[in-house]
Amino acid sequence: MALAFCILAHRNPAQVGRLLRALAHPGNAVFLHYEKRAPRAEHAAIERLAGETPHVRLLPARAILWGRFSVVAAQLEGMRRALEAREREPWSHFITLSGQDFPLLPQARMTEELEAAGDRSFMSFFDPLEQPLWKNLDDRLERFYFDSPLLEKVLRLPFAGRRLRGMFGW
């Protein structure tokens, strides 16, 4: 049984390399996104690691803002690429990992567990409107949120950021 992995990493290329080697298994497809704003030397190391590790494909680098849609966009790109590759490299399960994750089970044991589970999904879902986890849930539904690295930089400027936040009520 082959698996597809989407790895979202932003630092520690050596650690990401250990993860890639742990996931190297015949038939596995690994899609790796590395943070666009990481140092150039790290990107070079990641490209070298991807070239040395079978079945690893680099996703286009994008600036990721934690907790924002950019994280979801990188995951969706990984899923899209995995689905496109499925005809050439059939896989049964799609797993998303961070660059700091590491499998606690060997590949053979992972596949045994997944085969035993059949079509079961290991995702859990909840309705935030029925089980509010945030005190300001109405604000999250009524306000616009911008996912822009440039806007984040401007808002961190000592004088401009404070004035913009005040002007727009942020």
Side-chain angles (χ1 to χ4, degrees), residues 37 63-65 68 144-170:
R37 295 176 292 173
I64 300 291
L65 296 174
R68 303 285 181 87
F144 290 101
Y145 288 86
F146 299 100
D147 196 4
S148 166
L150 178 62
L151 182 58
E152 290 290 321
K153 285 180 182 176
V154 170
L155 291 176
R156 286 192 186 116
L157 294 173
F159 297 104
R162 201 173 315 129
R163 287 188 180 129
L164 278 172
R165 287 176 193 275
M167 236 172 28
F168 291 105
W170 295 337

Side-chain angles (χ1 to χ4, degrees), residues 19-51:
L19 175 59
L20 292 176
R21 286 188 292 279
L23 300 178
H25 187 270
N28 280 358
V30 179
F31 301 88
L32 173 61
H33 175 272
Y34 202 77
E35 167 66 47
K36 183 177 186 173
R37 295 176 292 173
R40 197 142 194 64
E42 289 185 15
H43 278 278
I46 289 294
E47 287 174 18
R48 190 175 56 256
L49 286 167

Side-chain angles (χ1 to χ4, degrees), residues 64-78:
I64 300 291
L65 296 174
W66 189 87
R68 303 285 181 87
F69 187 77
S70 53
V71 177
V72 175
Q75 285 180 305
L76 290 174
E77 178 69 14

Side-chain angles (χ1 to χ4, degrees), residues 1-119:
M1 168 191 285
L3 305 172
F5 294 92
C6 177
I7 301 172
L8 305 176
H10 67 282
R11 63 179 179 179
N12 299 333
Q15 186 176 11
V16 173
R18 287 190 294 278
L19 175 59
L20 292 176
R21 286 188 292 279
L23 300 178
H25 187 270
N28 280 358
V30 179
F31 301 88
L32 173 61
H33 175 272
Y34 202 77
E35 167 66 47
K36 183 177 186 173
R37 295 176 292 173
R40 197 142 194 64
E42 289 185 15
H43 278 278
I46 289 294
E47 287 174 18
R48 190 175 56 256
L49 286 167
E52 296 169 355
T53 313
H55 308 295
V56 174
R57 288 162 198 82
L58 287 177
L59 299 173
R62 63 176 71 218
I64 300 291
L65 296 174
W66 189 87
R68 303 285 181 87
F69 187 77
S70 53
V71 177
V72 175
Q75 285 180 305
L76 290 174
E77 178 69 14
M79 287 179 191
R80 186 181 67 75
R81 296 276 181 101
L83 289 170
E84 287 173 357
R86 198 167 186 190
E87 279 187 32
R88 297 182 312 277
E89 301 169 286
W91 47 267
S92 62
H93 291 77
F94 182 86
I95 301 169
T96 300
L97 300 170
S98 79
Q100 283 74 49
D101 288 330
F102 197 81
L104 297 176
L105 300 174
Q107 179 81 24
R109 177 84 187 279
M110 260 196 292
T111 55
E112 282 175 20
E113 299 275 335
L114 291 170
E115 282 177 347
D119 289 339

